[in-house]
Amino acid sequence: MVRDAAMRGFRAVLVERVDLGQGTSGRYHGLLHSGARYVVTDPVSARECADENAVLRRVAAGAIEATGGLFVTTPFDDPAYADGFLAACAASGVRAEEVDAAEALRREPRLHPGITRAFAVDDASLDIWLLLWANARSAERLGARILTYHWVTEVLRDGDAVAGVVCRDDRTGEQVRIEAGFTVNATGVWADELATMAGCRGIGVVPGRGIMIAMAHRLVNTVVNRCDLPGDGDILVPIRTVSVIGTTDTRAEDPDDLSIPAGEVQAMLDAGEQLVPGFRGARALHVWVGARPLVDPETDEDEVEDTHHLSRDLALIDHARRDGVRRFLTITGGKATTYRLMAELTMDAVCRQLGEARPCRTAEVPLDGFEEEGFLRLGDRLARQEDRLLDDQLVCECELVPRRAVRELVAREPRATLDDLRRALRVGMGPCQGGFCGLRATGILHEEGGAGAARASELLARFLAHRWSGIQPILSGDQMRQAVLDEWIAQGLLDVGHLPGAAEMDLDRA
């Protein structure tokens, strides 16, 4: 959104309550949708995803691994669904080509040998962190400001119009007043809260809560979907060096509730076994939860439990027409795949209300840094690192993050946390889950970022606690052994539980 606004010549400010990607965008399975998943249940979203898939392959290829996708009919699926699926793909303009089941097994030999039908589609995996930061850097180069860790505490009104917001900088405690000629509520699953602050009726967002599990290596190299109505644990996405299975889909009472029920973890592992026999024997690396902003004006959100059936379509609300509040729009719903389209439609509406003709160019102009690049390849980081293997120490061996990259980020943002490093550079996202690299990165924050001993200790304790929250629900087998080793290092050797700044954190329960 902020890049689109800046490209149209507006002075734009993006306010994020934590870091980029801390919300729903950074808490999904990394799938760039072909649209095929929704052709039967939500053909409008299917068409949007198919169109935007093609656009992002042009303008953001460097964040996309062109894995391709397969929809397969397993022995646990309704065999009659496949013909309707293929017809719905044709009706929605979503490419789907049937391939022989034996050919699908040749491409992906770990798949259940009992599959009877398979369809190739244009699914891919999307590195959301690369995409987010590429958009942010591009917007900043065009003059936009991006304020992370700023919580909106008040929506300013000038009569019947919204005139900006007041924020609290959570890092300094400072109150920041931002006056704006137009305000866009793009807060996703929290859209109701901000709309209410502006004096408008709620949007009716239903938070669709889901968990995902990253397995420690790539069990497949193609995005694999079960060819049946969308359900729990029916997608397996290869992204970077892991495979992610997802997702559950139930109504969340509180979108900020990140608890992970043990029963849902077991359900995901069981579902993975039906796609890839032996799945339960693989090492589960990390589990997380996110909440999707789902909008259905004909549904009473208080009565919704299973959210699989709710539309994934975007929702753009004109508050001047609906609530009599001018210079204020809400955009919510949608998918990561359709983020660019959501921004285009919203900024088109802003321009209409302002009476200005400022066309959108985001479908034609590649993101900065992606102009000459092809698609993301798994070996790219290793190839780059080998060029400077002797003069640039690795901080994170799992994700091949060099010291230079950490130093550059800390120089740009001296107040960065270890979780900021994780989101921007993938520090701590590999098999050791920060057990080794977290300690090294803390040293850099202390040495070069100006973090005092107490602050550095607090950052390390909080980082380890956050990593633990996604490890504890899946402890077994190899993951248990890795966690015990990490605990011996952190607690036994370094005694992090008694470091300054960690005293109030129960690392055994965080």
Side-chain angles (χ1 to χ4, degrees):
M1 185 78 66
V2 70
R3 177 177 183 251
D4 191 316
M7 288 179 69
R8 298 186 196 221
F10 288 109
R11 294 178 59 198
V13 180
L14 170 66
V15 176
E16 285 278 0
R17 68 176 196 161
V18 192
D19 191 19
L20 297 180
Q22 175 66 8
T24 307
S25 298
R27 293 181 174 274
Y28 88 122
H29 39 47
L31 175 62
L32 180 68
H33 280 279
S34 63
R37 180 170 173 82
Y38 303 120
V39 290
V40 173
T41 59
D42 195 352
V44 173
S45 293
R47 180 70 262 167
E48 290 171 350
C49 285
D51 291 344
E52 287 303 295
N53 180 302
V55 172
L56 294 185
R57 286 169 185 262
R58 294 197 306 269
V59 301
I64 298 167
E65 184 184 355
T67 61
L70 287 171
F71 275 72
V72 297
T73 302
T74 75
F76 313 98
D77 300 322
D78 178 6
Y81 181 84
D83 286 334
F85 166 80
L86 195 58
C89 284
S92 299
V94 174
R95 190 191 76 83
E97 175 185 355
E98 184 159 14
V99 298
D100 188 75
E103 170 61 17
L105 287 168
R106 186 193 67 77
R107 297 183 191 180
E108 293 295 345
R110 289 179 180 265
L111 288 178
H112 196 293
I115 64 171
T116 55
R117 298 185 74 176
F119 304 91
V121 299
D122 292 329
D123 287 339
S125 64
L126 176 66
D127 190 318
I128 193 65
W129 311 113
L130 284 178
L131 186 69
L132 283 170
W133 286 106
N135 274 280
R137 287 192 294 266
S138 177
E140 287 177 326
R141 290 189 185 105
L142 292 166
R145 294 186 64 197
I146 296 177
L147 303 179
T148 56
Y149 294 94
H150 280 64
W151 285 68
V152 174
T153 57
E154 180 185 355
V155 175
L156 301 173
R157 289 283 298 265
D158 180 11
D160 65 349
V162 169
V165 296
V166 175
C167 308
R168 180 187 69 248
D169 184 338
D170 270 358
R171 287 171 161 171
T172 66
E174 177 187 4
Q175 293 293 311
V176 180
R177 182 185 178 94
I178 303 171
E179 297 180 355
F182 209 104
T183 302
V184 174
N185 174 13
T187 54
V189 76
W190 298 275
D192 277 327
E193 182 179 344
L194 197 73
T196 302
M197 291 173 66
C200 301
R201 287 184 291 123
I203 309 302
V205 174
V206 179
R209 180 183 177 284
I211 72 164
M212 287 133 279
I213 303 176
M215 309 305 286
H217 55 281
R218 285 168 72 114
L219 298 168
V220 293
N221 288 304
T222 306
V223 175
V224 178
N225 304 257
R226 285 173 61 170
C227 192
D228 207 344
L229 286 171
D232 292 348
D234 57 355
I235 308 174
L236 189 57
V237 182
I239 184 160
R240 294 290 190 174
T241 58
V242 304
S243 300
V244 176
I245 190 165
T247 168
T248 54
D249 208 338
T250 57
R251 182 179 182 271
E253 295 299 328
D254 178 2
D256 288 310
D257 179 8
L258 302 183
S259 60
I260 300 169
E264 292 188 11
V265 171
Q266 295 305 315
M268 286 295 98
L269 297 177
D270 291 342
E273 193 73 22
Q274 294 182 334
L275 266 176
V276 175
F279 186 90
R280 290 185 63 92
R283 178 181 166 196
L285 182 62
H286 199 90
V287 57
W288 64 94
V289 62
R292 313 165 192 83
L294 306 175
V295 182
D296 188 341
E298 298 181 359
T299 298
D300 182 349
E301 62 267 25
D302 292 330
E303 298 178 357
V304 173
E305 292 184 5
D306 183 341
T307 54
H308 282 106
H309 68 284
L310 292 184
S311 174
R312 269 55 179 169
D313 195 14
L314 58 88
L316 179 61
I317 293 93
D318 179 354
H319 291 286
R321 185 162 45 206
R322 197 191 73 155
D323 302 299
V325 178
R326 297 184 300 110
R327 304 207 303 264
F328 187 51
L329 292 171
T330 290
I331 180 70
T332 189
K335 308 287 294 178
T337 301
T338 59
Y339 87 93
R340 190 214 62 82
L341 174 64
M342 295 170 71
E344 177 180 347
L345 295 176
T346 304
M347 291 310 303
D348 283 350
V350 170
C351 288
R352 283 195 301 272
Q353 292 199 19
L354 294 177
E356 300 185 22
R358 302 192 186 195
C360 177
R361 298 185 295 127
T362 57
E364 291 80 37
V365 181
L367 283 158
D368 296 0
F370 294 158
E371 296 89 350
E372 303 297 330
E373 294 184 11
F375 290 114
L376 182 68
R377 295 183 306 111
L378 188 59
D380 286 345
R381 290 178 301 167
L382 179 59
R384 287 194 297 268
Q385 184 59 31
E386 285 181 336
D387 288 340
R388 50 177 69 92
L389 195 61
L390 299 179
D391 58 13
D392 195 0
Q393 171 196 20
L394 282 177
V395 173
C396 175
E397 287 97 342
C398 301
E399 294 291 338
L400 296 173
V401 180
R403 184 182 183 91
R404 168 188 48 80
V406 178
R407 292 176 63 185
E408 289 175 354
L409 190 149
V410 171
R412 290 196 306 270
E413 182 47 78
R415 296 183 297 179
T417 68
L418 288 166
D419 279 306
D420 294 337
L421 298 184
R422 175 180 61 82
R423 286 183 284 267
L425 302 175
R426 303 183 68 86
V427 169
M429 293 183 73
C432 86
Q433 288 291 286
F436 297 99
C437 59
L439 310 175
R440 298 168 184 154
T442 302
I444 297 175
L445 289 178
H446 174 55
E447 190 176 276
E448 303 187 28
R455 171 66 173 158
S457 299
E458 178 187 358
L459 292 177
L460 175 60
R462 191 171 300 279
F463 178 72
L464 293 176
H466 288 170
R467 291 286 83 195
W468 176 247
S469 68
I471 296 171
Q472 188 274 335
I474 53 172
L475 282 179
S476 65
D478 289 340
Q479 184 58 37
M480 174 69 81
R481 286 184 277 274
Q482 176 69 53
V484 170
L485 173 61
D486 290 345
E487 182 179 18
W488 282 345
I489 295 171
Q491 301 278 43
L493 181 62
L494 300 176
D495 197 20
V496 296
H498 295 93
L499 290 172
E504 297 181 1
M505 300 190 66
D506 185 347
L507 298 183
D508 293 325
R509 298 178 183 272

